[in-house]
Amino acid sequence: MYVPRSLSDQKVKKIMWKLQMSKGDDDPGVRSVNHHIGRQFWEFDPHAGTPEERSQIESMHEEFTRNRLNVKHSSDLLMRFQFASKNRGETETSHILEEGQDDDEDEVIKTLKKALKFYARLQGEDGSWPADYGGPLFLLPGLIIGLHVMGMKDVILSIEHQKEIRRYLYNHQVLNMLCCWVEDPKSPVNKLHLCRIKDYLWIAEDGMKMQGYNGSQLWDAVLAAQAILATNLVDENGPMLLKAHDFIKNSQVRKNSSGNIQSWYRHISLGGWPFSTPDNGWPVSDCTAEALKALVMLSQMPYDIVGEAIAPECLYDAVHLLLTLQNGNGGFSSYELKRSYAWLEVINPAETFGDIMIDYQYVECTSAVVQGLRSFTKLYPNHRRDQIEVCIDKAITFIESSQLPDGSWYGSWAICYTYGTWFGIKGLVAGGKTYETSHCIRKACAFLLSKQLHSGGWGESYTSCQQKTYTSLVGNKSHITNTSWALLALIEAKQAKRNQIPLHRAAKVLIDHQMDNGDFLQQEIIGVFNKNCMISYSSYRNIFPIWALGEYLNYVIIRKKSHA
């Protein structure tokens, strides 16, 4: 059981379910290309936990079940209980002043330090931040049916696993059923699959669920590293960055898939980064780009704080992979090039998912690549410079052409227009555009400002993804993650030069939502894919308020004082 270093001088809390990290000695069939770094799975220990701790865990379960019709999204409390000796706390009212007086800096720094201290306690020894990546309800029935057909249900899933799965099914009333066809029950490939099932199971207060991936380790880590760096409170958070840096370096895919990849219609993999761990083996364009950007930033930090920089050759491989992933219209898909036509959606067999027949281009992926390549050129200006510049120019054209008439961009991987518009603005700015020179940026800022709530925040419903029109949360509630994306976008577009009040109001919302222990409230589900499938990103409630308040501190509050 890994415990964050910040808790090493405290008594380790034992609970009945324990999250194991970066271990591979549980099954000889489990293989790894990076010594299992980043692997995570839950293990039941019938002897662990005091009566008081067991009672606390049971109370979490009971409270979720009581409120399941009103609060459908779990808060990932079991993991946080194990890693941070969970303290629920109450929200603390801030005293930040709307006009941005001198008291603001102390208030923001206080909030950031509390947030960073809490988030450090959630980091594993391997450098990643484990978190719930559940959400899709259709995965678990397929797993159970598949194991049942194979005669392996009771072998792979213990009684306690099945108990928690039943709890999850009850809490979320899953009715859909999937079919599984087992071609060869004795195949060694099937055995390799079986020993990895636990990697896809996650337990929280709502029960045990199945994730669509073996986690979101790399994605969360590269975003978290950028968020921490944005605070400029690096010296006191060096241990966090050091572990995150090592994890990111250890997570790069260092070889292509075996065999003739052309015969399998596989893209190259060497140099990329996956969404979770390299054992997953599938590089993603935006994961690779965000990792590239984070590593370039970390390579410019003092060695004694963040450790040794990654070898330039590894960055060159990442750049090469990204350049091969650009489509003819300048956009970037997620896993591969766009290989066919959108009309294939007429034979889409799914009743609920949209745009699944091919890998489409996305503003998020395209923007991330622009940002990553631009960061790279600042450190390595002579490496494939002409090709990179052509790539960026084409990507900017794609971003501009995909902007909607109201000034927004549709976000395909999180909810929804606030997310897409943040990436749209970030990509254009990284490509050399400014508020003054870009009509697209001006329209995007106007869109975001038009959606700011009376409270000062932003709160977007998942129905935006389905209806393809911006829809506020019921009751016009603010959501801290939407608010963070909007605040980050406006700061990037230099809103502070024009009118700082919207920024102060947004920052106040974030500060007011922090709890006494430094954590932030869990709110409505915030991730999505294929327009209709919502998914958890439980670390977002920590990462993005830290990131947004860090940039607010350094680019609004402190910069204002320096120009006074």
Side-chain angles (χ1 to χ4, degrees), residues 63-80:
E63 183 175 349
F64 185 91
T65 299
R66 279 195 304 271
N67 295 316
R68 70 186 187 279
L69 299 180
N70 299 316
V71 181
K72 300 180 184 296
H73 189 23
S74 65
S75 298
D76 211 7
L77 296 182
L78 271 65
M79 183 279 293
R80 289 171 183 244

Side-chain angles (χ1 to χ4, degrees), residues 264-304:
W264 295 102
Y265 299 97
R266 285 286 299 267
H267 203 85
I268 62 172
S269 305
L270 174 65
W273 273 270
F275 184 70
S276 56
T277 64
D279 286 337
N280 172 274
W282 289 90
V284 193
S285 62
D286 57 353
C287 297
T288 300
E290 295 289 353
L292 174 64
K293 182 170 60 162
L295 288 169
V296 167
M297 296 168 70
L298 288 163
S299 69
Q300 298 173 78
M301 300 298 298
Y303 171 87
D304 59 336

Side-chain angles (χ1 to χ4, degrees), residues 291-533:
L292 174 64
K293 182 170 60 162
L295 288 169
V296 167
M297 296 168 70
L298 288 163
S299 69
Q300 298 173 78
M301 300 298 298
Y303 171 87
D304 59 336
I305 294 179
V306 302
E308 184 178 1
I310 193 170
E313 291 74 20
C314 293
L315 300 183
Y316 298 162
D317 288 339
V319 169
H320 175 70
L321 175 65
L322 291 175
L323 291 175
T324 66
L325 282 170
Q326 189 170 39
N327 289 286
N329 66 352
F332 283 79
S333 307
S334 52
Y335 292 93
E336 60 188 22
L337 293 167
K338 182 181 177 183
R339 292 176 171 172
S340 193
Y341 304 97
W343 60 257
L344 283 174
E345 295 298 335
V346 300
I347 58 172
N348 180 344
E351 296 180 355
T352 56
F353 304 132
D355 293 352
I356 65 172
M357 299 302 292
I358 60 175
D359 199 354
Y360 293 87
Q361 300 98 336
Y362 303 99
V363 65
E364 300 103 302
C365 297
T366 307
S367 170
V369 172
V370 171
Q371 295 174 57
L373 291 178
R374 181 56 71 214
S375 297
F376 174 81
T377 60
K378 292 177 181 178
L379 202 60
Y380 300 95
N382 298 320
H383 182 81
R384 300 183 69 171
R385 184 59 182 256
D386 291 343
Q387 292 170 278
I388 291 174
E389 292 303 326
V390 170
C391 174
I392 290 176
D393 287 345
K394 291 173 62 179
I396 292 299
T397 299
F398 171 82
I399 294 173
E400 291 175 332
S401 66
S402 60
Q403 187 178 33
L404 298 172
D406 65 0
S408 69
W409 281 269
Y410 182 91
S412 297
W413 302 105
I415 301 170
C416 171
Y417 292 95
T418 42
Y419 186 67
T421 302
W422 173 47
F423 272 97
I425 290 176
K426 287 277 286 185
L428 292 179
V429 172
K433 306 293 184 178
T434 67
Y435 182 89
E436 290 75 20
T437 64
S438 171
H439 179 61
C440 291
I441 293 179
R442 293 195 295 273
K443 284 174 60 181
C445 290
F447 168 80
L448 288 174
L449 292 172
S450 74
K451 302 303 180 184
Q452 189 170 27
L453 299 169
H454 179 73
S455 64
W458 283 258
E460 192 174 359
S461 168
Y462 72 91
T463 58
S464 290
C465 307
Q466 302 167 333
Q467 299 171 2
K468 298 184 182 180
T469 183
Y470 187 98
T471 308
S472 295
L473 289 170
V474 175
N476 285 327
K477 293 189 299 182
S478 292
H479 194 296
I480 56 172
T481 307
N482 291 134
T483 300
S484 297
W485 292 332
L487 180 55
L488 285 164
L490 290 170
I491 291 174
E492 189 74 17
K494 302 294 189 292
Q495 176 66 30
K497 292 167 55 178
R498 298 180 294 276
N499 179 6
Q500 295 188 359
I501 290 178
L503 308 180
H504 298 319
R505 295 175 64 218
K508 183 179 188 302
V509 168
L510 298 180
I511 293 171
D512 284 348
H513 276 76
Q514 188 179 46
M515 298 188 290
D516 289 339
N517 64 356
D519 198 2
F520 290 88
L521 291 170
Q522 177 64 56
Q523 297 173 292
E524 287 80 1
I525 199 164
I526 199 66
V528 69
F529 64 90
N530 295 126
K531 294 182 168 56
N532 205 35
C533 191

Side-chain angles (χ1 to χ4, degrees), residues 245-259:
H245 193 188
D246 285 342
F247 177 76
I248 298 168
K249 290 185 290 185
N250 285 323
S251 297
Q252 189 178 27
V253 178
R254 294 307 307 152
K255 63 180 181 179
N256 290 318
S257 299
S258 59

